[in-house]
Amino acid sequence: MKKLLYKLGDILSTDEAERRQVQLVNPSLKKFPYLGAIAISPTIFAAIQLVKKGEVAPSHHHSPNAFRFILEAPEDGAYTVVNGKRLIMHRGDLVLTPSYAWHDHRNEGNGDVIWLDGLDAPLVWYLGAIFFEDYFKKYKRSLQEITETEKENVLKYGNGMLPEFEREDSYDPLYIYPYSRARETLFRIKENSNEMPAEGYVMRYINPNNGKDIFQTMASKIRLISPKSKTKKIRKTEHIIFMPVEGECTLKLDNIEYNLKENDIAIVPPWEAYEIVNNNDKDCILFSYSDEPIFKSFGLFRSEINE
């Protein structure tokens, strides 16, 4: 995928493409008009995106919810601006661009930035609710004014407290979830545990306003699988995408095994039994996202964990 992304980067500039992505398409859905070009599952979109050193992707907004999970980034200077908030990106950070939030991407660092894009666009398309608008058409300029930094955003919303003087109730106000915090939490929990839980050490990213998932349509989690360990056999009614952030693992689906290295992407269909196996001497940390909230909203969610 990375080779394809850079090949695309040689062909298209950000001025021509606006967003330069390699999209992960489910072959079984290709027969559906429009949907087949964007869907890794009937409800979820997945792609990897590139912004080269010195490039800018202009501001726009759209009805689908979206996030960026950062795969590669320079030490400093690559950032997304969401509703005026500057969010400097580092590997493993989760950056949100909720429905109708203005967002642009700028790379002033000394290297390229690549991330995993996750959206609920297929579901929104089914609902007939795909809407899009360029920032320039409305404000006659391509980039937003920066009004707040990522440190200020995390300070206000990332410490288990909510400011009474400034509340954002329409969607998750914590636009960035730093990987350094998530990683530290996983290892602290592991250190204070006698035995790995059935699904590994799993932490769910939540909206600090209500304790629910980051979006009403998508859930995101991060988990640690200890060395020489494996999860129980799991079945859930959700389309779930896994990607190792650190280490390697084997994803077992019935009699099929997929060996996953860092940044590899795999999807498990609903109610398909799977196990995650770490046969290595190092911990494996995986990021995942799914449409679990949709199944729960419609009373269709089921979960089964066996030995």
Side-chain angles (χ1 to χ4, degrees), residues 183-252:
R183 188 180 191 277
E184 181 183 11
T185 301
L186 286 172
F187 279 104
R188 285 187 179 274
I189 289 173
K190 179 188 173 183
E191 289 169 3
N192 291 298
S193 177
N194 296 323
E195 184 179 1
M196 190 180 81
E199 298 185 61
Y201 300 97
V202 185
M203 298 296 292
R204 183 187 295 262
Y205 295 94
I206 62 167
N207 180 338
N209 273 337
N210 54 27
K212 297 181 180 180
D213 289 303
I214 54 172
F215 299 126
Q216 292 175 301
T217 51
M218 291 189 290
S220 293
K221 302 175 186 178
I222 194 160
R223 76 192 65 209
L224 185 151
I225 310 297
S226 299
K228 307 297 182 183
S229 301
K230 66 177 183 178
T231 67
K232 305 295 186 184
K233 187 170 286 189
I234 304 162
R235 288 206 301 175
K236 294 185 178 183
T237 49
E238 61 180 341
H239 299 88
I240 183 167
I241 293 170
F242 289 107
M243 189 197 70
V245 189
E246 290 186 36
E248 302 177 10
C249 67
T250 299
L251 180 65
K252 290 186 175 183

Side-chain angles (χ1 to χ4, degrees), residues 90-280:
H90 303 96
R91 174 165 170 76
D93 290 352
L94 177 65
V95 178
L96 307 187
T97 52
S99 176
Y100 289 111
W102 292 108
H103 54 281
D104 54 68
H105 313 302
R106 314 178 198 182
N107 189 355
E108 300 168 2
N110 58 6
D112 301 338
V113 58
I114 299 173
W115 60 74
L116 167 67
D117 277 321
L119 290 85
D120 55 9
L123 172 70
V124 178
W125 176 82
Y126 272 126
L127 298 173
I130 290 282
F131 303 111
F132 171 91
E133 184 179 19
D134 282 315
Y135 194 78
F136 185 84
K137 288 184 178 179
K138 189 166 187 176
Y139 296 105
K140 306 307 177 187
R141 51 195 172 100
S142 297
L143 300 175
Q144 305 170 64
E145 179 183 352
I146 296 173
T147 59
E148 187 174 287
T149 68
E150 66 287 334
K151 291 181 180 179
E152 292 168 321
N153 180 250
V154 173
L155 179 66
K156 282 196 293 188
Y157 296 106
N159 292 313
M161 303 174 72
L162 286 173
E164 286 293 319
F165 55 87
E166 185 176 338
R167 292 290 297 274
E168 175 57 78
D169 293 325
S170 59
Y171 41 63
D172 189 340
L174 187 57
Y175 293 126
I176 186 166
Y177 294 76
Y179 180 60
S180 57
R181 286 191 172 200
R183 188 180 191 277
E184 181 183 11
T185 301
L186 286 172
F187 279 104
R188 285 187 179 274
I189 289 173
K190 179 188 173 183
E191 289 169 3
N192 291 298
S193 177
N194 296 323
E195 184 179 1
M196 190 180 81
E199 298 185 61
Y201 300 97
V202 185
M203 298 296 292
R204 183 187 295 262
Y205 295 94
I206 62 167
N207 180 338
N209 273 337
N210 54 27
K212 297 181 180 180
D213 289 303
I214 54 172
F215 299 126
Q216 292 175 301
T217 51
M218 291 189 290
S220 293
K221 302 175 186 178
I222 194 160
R223 76 192 65 209
L224 185 151
I225 310 297
S226 299
K228 307 297 182 183
S229 301
K230 66 177 183 178
T231 67
K232 305 295 186 184
K233 187 170 286 189
I234 304 162
R235 288 206 301 175
K236 294 185 178 183
T237 49
E238 61 180 341
H239 299 88
I240 183 167
I241 293 170
F242 289 107
M243 189 197 70
V245 189
E246 290 186 36
E248 302 177 10
C249 67
T250 299
L251 180 65
K252 290 186 175 183
L253 282 77
D254 290 332
N255 297 320
I256 305 173
E257 296 186 3
Y258 299 98
N259 297 315
L260 303 180
K261 298 181 179 180
E262 290 183 5
N263 297 355
D264 289 347
I265 299 169
I267 181 167
V268 179
W271 211 237
E272 185 79 21
Y274 68 90
E275 296 174 89
I276 304 171
V277 182
N278 181 5
N279 286 323
N280 303 290

